[in-house]
Amino acid sequence: MKLLQGKTVLVTGGSTGIGRAAAIGAAKAGADVAINYRSSSAEAESCIAEIEAAGQRGLAVQGDVADPAVAGEFIAKAVEGFGKVDVMVSNAGICPFHSFLDMPVETVQRTMNVNLLGGYFMCQAAARQMVEQGHGGAIVAVSSISALVGGEYQTHYTPTKAGLHSLMQSAAIALGKHNIRCNSVLPGTILTEINKDDLADMEKRARMEARIPLGRLGAAEDLAGPIVFLASDMASYVTGAALLVDGGAFVNLQ
Ligand SMILES: NC(=O)C1=CN([C@@H]2O[C@H](COP(=O)(O)OP(=O)(O)OC[C@H]3O[C@@H](n4cnc5c(N)ncnc54)[C@H](O)[C@@H]3O)[C@@H](O)[C@H]2O)C=CC1
Ligand SMILES: C[C@H](O)[C@@H]1OC(=O)[C@H](O)[C@@H]1O
């Protein structure tokens, strides 16, 4: 039997990058998958096509996670389509690199609203549905190695990732009695749209590659296995945990 056979998995920011890889990975593991996406319906449709090519049902729901109302709407549409919610992968995020001293207020607020509050309301809405269903569930937040270490141009971003990591720890306690497990993955540097401009600086890219014991930056697909594992019953006694998926970068001090 496949790891997520019969499960319904929801992924925010699921049309590109890590979210897309998680959505397609979940479908390949036997789940029906609903994705939330921000704006590009072409990317969302092509993700749904890949979910269907894996033999599963797919559903795309547009919405800005920074709007708290969008969380309830996403859950309602998924329940309407698939009848239940078993897994929430809270993944949507932005990282507009910017220096600290002249950081625009709007950039800070938007990053917090999307990454942290968006994640909070999505996880809460999913948990409410899971509690109502009465048969447990799993929540996986896409936090970051940035929950543990800083970045000069990420002073507005790293606190959101530390916040998601902390949210999963507290939610694990709040939801344990409902058999809802809450964990986070902490990706290292993964080559996606979010850092395309930043990593166009070849010197910086080479520096980052050099400190990764596995010798390469990550690909979005590197996150699919860890997310599917944490979502699955194979991880039935894992909650409140954080799984680094960084090629060993974090432990490489000198
Ligand atoms: N690429 C990397 O090195 C790392 C990424 N992450 C996190 O992984 C997550 C996914 O990012 P990537 O796949 O790397 O980049 P990405 O840019 O491909 O994915 C981010 C997704 O979130 C969506 N999104 C952004 N704002 C949204 C909003 N307001 N409402 C709904 N969807 C929204 C985007 O449309 C996009 O599909 C983010 O939370 C990011 O912080 C964490 C650690 C490392
Ligand atoms: C977007 C960055 O490249 C990426 O985001 C993270 O969370 C990682 O720590 C990297 O800085």
Side-chain angles (χ1 to χ4, degrees):
M1 183 160 121
K2 291 181 173 179
L3 274 186
L4 298 178
Q5 196 76 48
K7 307 260 191 210
T8 296
V9 173
L10 276 59
V11 185
T12 68
S15 62
T16 67
I18 292 169
R20 184 187 181 102
I24 293 165
K28 287 181 177 164
D32 291 327
V33 183
I35 61 165
N36 147 275
Y37 69 98
R38 171 81 182 92
S39 54
S40 165
S41 51
E43 282 166 342
E45 279 163 23
S46 89
C47 181
I48 297 303
E50 286 202 51
I51 289 166
E52 290 173 350
Q56 297 301 136
R57 292 181 294 171
L59 178 69
V61 184
Q62 195 270 332
D64 180 341
V65 300
D67 175 357
V70 161
E73 288 164 18
F74 184 36
I75 303 300
K77 291 260 171 61
V79 172
E80 193 183 305
F82 301 145
K84 64 187 174 112
V85 172
D86 299 302
V87 176
M88 163 59 74
V89 181
S90 177
N91 162 79
I94 55 172
C95 183
F97 289 82
H98 205 287
S99 47
F100 182 43
L101 296 179
D102 59 352
M103 179 76 72
V105 171
E106 305 75 40
T107 306
V108 178
Q109 287 173 336
R110 179 70 184 160
T111 306
M112 298 277 173
N113 286 339
V114 172
N115 294 10
L116 182 54
L117 298 186
Y120 187 101
F121 291 119
M122 276 290 175
C123 293
Q124 184 192 46
R128 285 177 174 153
Q129 176 63 28
M130 290 170 188
V131 169
E132 196 181 312
Q133 292 167 183
H135 53 77
I139 297 174
V140 182
V142 180
S143 170
S144 172
I145 189 175
S146 295
L148 310 176
V149 290
E152 181 176 359
Y153 299 100
Q154 295 175 306
T155 55
H156 53 322
Y157 172 82
T158 59
T160 68
K161 292 295 162 180
L164 283 176
H165 169 48
S166 170
L167 171 63
M168 286 302 97
Q169 293 178 326
S170 290
I173 303 166
L175 298 172
K177 55 177 164 294
H178 300 289
N179 196 28
I180 299 169
R181 298 180 298 100
C182 302
N183 296 291
S184 53
V185 287
L186 313 185
T189 301
I190 312 297
L191 287 165
T192 67
E193 202 55 39
I194 206 171
N195 50 26
K196 208 171 86 196
D197 294 342
D198 188 52
L199 294 175
D201 175 349
M202 284 306 170
E203 235 176 71
K204 176 169 184 182
R205 187 164 160 164
R207 227 177 25 249
M208 297 190 73
E209 276 165 353
R211 63 167 292 190
I212 299 173
L214 290 183
R216 64 173 176 88
L217 297 173
E221 292 69 26
D222 288 321
L223 270 301
I227 291 172
V228 166
F229 163 69
L230 289 171
S232 79
D233 294 343
M234 269 187 88
S236 60
Y237 200 55
V238 182
T239 196
L243 180 52
L244 271 165
V245 186
D246 66 345
F250 179 71
V251 297
N252 189 12
L253 182 60
Q254 52 186 336

